[in-house]
Amino acid sequence: MTHGTDSIDSPMYGTFGNGSGRSPEPEPQYSLKMFGEVVKTFRKRARLTQEQFAPLVGYSPETVASIEQGRRLPPPDFAERADSILDAFGVILAAAKHLTRRKGLASWFRQWAELELSALSLYTYECRLIPGLLQTAAYARTLFTDQLPPLGDEQIEAQLAARLERQQLLRERPNTSFSFILEEHLFLRDLGGEEVTRELIDHILDLSELRNVDIQIMPLVRHHHAGLDGPMRLLETQEHQWFGYLEGQEHGQFVSDLKVISALQMRCASMRSQALSLDDSRSLMRRMRGAR
């Protein structure tokens, strides 16, 4: 299991198996920093502040700042828009072609992460662990520390930093709809101890107050359950294309086949009706929080 690293290693629109060749080694971010410097240079040449440039390119000032600082991959359409707006002679587009590395994110996850940056909606069902976008630093550190084969200290810190940075999506993309269905037993496990779980529940309760984030709990006892085939993720692009991602112990599958996507959508819709309502889910989390 990848402990919530949301692994991926495939052509953009294909299926694949990770196999034993997958490496958890974090990768350097040199090309990201260089790309950010190129964007910043042309932005300043155009005499635009980040606040002025952001709406022109279609993203928030925070996203622009993160890109210019080399802290995150640009969304798929960012380079083309930026190059046109800043009249950069194709330099920004050329620099984007070399964005092959990102610290803390292995190559087998990067492609899904790129789609996340500009998705209209993201649906996640999890029965193994709390999804990466919802984890606290303490919970994520427990996962990385327990990973086998074991990671080194630098690897853990790099992956933790990447995990926390990726979580900015929930607040930086208020127009993206995030929907999570979590099994109740994920909280009852007390992974990392009671204090870690208490902090985790508080964190998820806070996130559930965001207008673009829906969090539902699948109760421990449920006579009918559409998600017994395992965890799944669904994503809708700005072009209204749908893709899915399924993950196992040592393999992952990036799904574009329309028949499979349709089946996943039906299962997800059924689970949303089988899980507790948003209000009832919050009430259950508060009760679990009070029991600790």
Side-chain angles (χ1 to χ4, degrees), residues 29-206:
Q29 57 182 352
Y30 177 75
S31 62
L32 274 178
K33 290 184 176 179
M34 288 299 296
F35 178 80
E37 286 295 329
V38 169
V39 172
K40 182 169 64 175
T41 298
F42 278 99
R43 175 180 58 76
K44 289 185 174 180
R45 173 180 172 270
R47 297 182 179 179
L48 293 173
T49 65
Q50 290 179 343
E51 289 72 19
Q52 293 169 329
F53 176 56
L56 297 178
V57 80
Y59 292 94
S60 68
E62 293 79 13
T63 297
V64 170
S66 293
I67 292 170
E68 290 189 355
Q69 293 164 15
R71 294 191 293 109
R72 67 179 297 172
L73 281 168
D77 57 351
F78 179 89
E80 184 175 355
R81 292 184 186 180
D83 197 277
S84 175
I85 291 166
L86 299 176
D87 192 22
F89 315 107
V91 175
I92 293 177
L93 282 170
K97 295 178 181 179
H98 299 282
L99 290 175
T100 58
R101 296 179 180 270
R102 185 181 182 188
K103 186 175 182 179
L105 289 183
S107 60
W108 33 266
F109 173 56
R110 193 181 309 116
Q111 292 171 340
W112 181 264
E114 288 177 0
L115 287 178
E116 281 185 330
L117 292 175
S118 58
L120 287 179
S121 56
L122 285 158
Y123 297 86
T124 301
Y125 163 65
E126 259 298 351
C127 57
R128 310 162 305 162
L129 44 80
I130 300 298
L133 287 175
L134 303 180
Q135 294 173 8
T136 61
Y139 184 92
R141 187 181 295 278
T142 298
L143 295 175
F144 292 137
T145 301
D146 290 348
Q147 189 162 313
L148 295 173
L151 300 177
D153 290 343
E154 291 185 2
Q155 291 174 303
I156 290 174
E157 294 305 318
Q159 294 197 19
L160 180 60
R163 174 70 47 83
L164 298 179
E165 177 191 330
R166 178 171 160 254
Q167 292 175 356
Q168 296 174 18
L169 282 173
L170 297 177
R171 300 184 187 276
E172 287 185 356
R173 294 195 57 80
N175 296 321
T176 296
S177 174
F178 297 89
S179 177
F180 299 90
I181 300 174
L182 312 175
E183 292 286 348
E184 180 182 354
H185 70 253
L186 298 179
F187 300 94
L188 301 178
R189 183 174 291 144
D190 269 349
L191 193 68
E194 289 189 4
E195 184 175 343
V196 170
T197 300
R198 189 182 302 115
E199 179 191 28
L200 178 70
I201 295 175
D202 286 341
H203 176 65
I204 293 177
L205 282 170
D206 287 342

Side-chain angles (χ1 to χ4, degrees), residues 213-232:
V213 178
D214 288 345
I215 299 174
Q216 293 178 263
I217 305 297
M218 185 69 77
L220 200 59
V221 177
R222 174 57 70 198
H223 294 162
H224 302 282
H225 195 318
L228 297 181
D229 284 343
M232 71 170 99

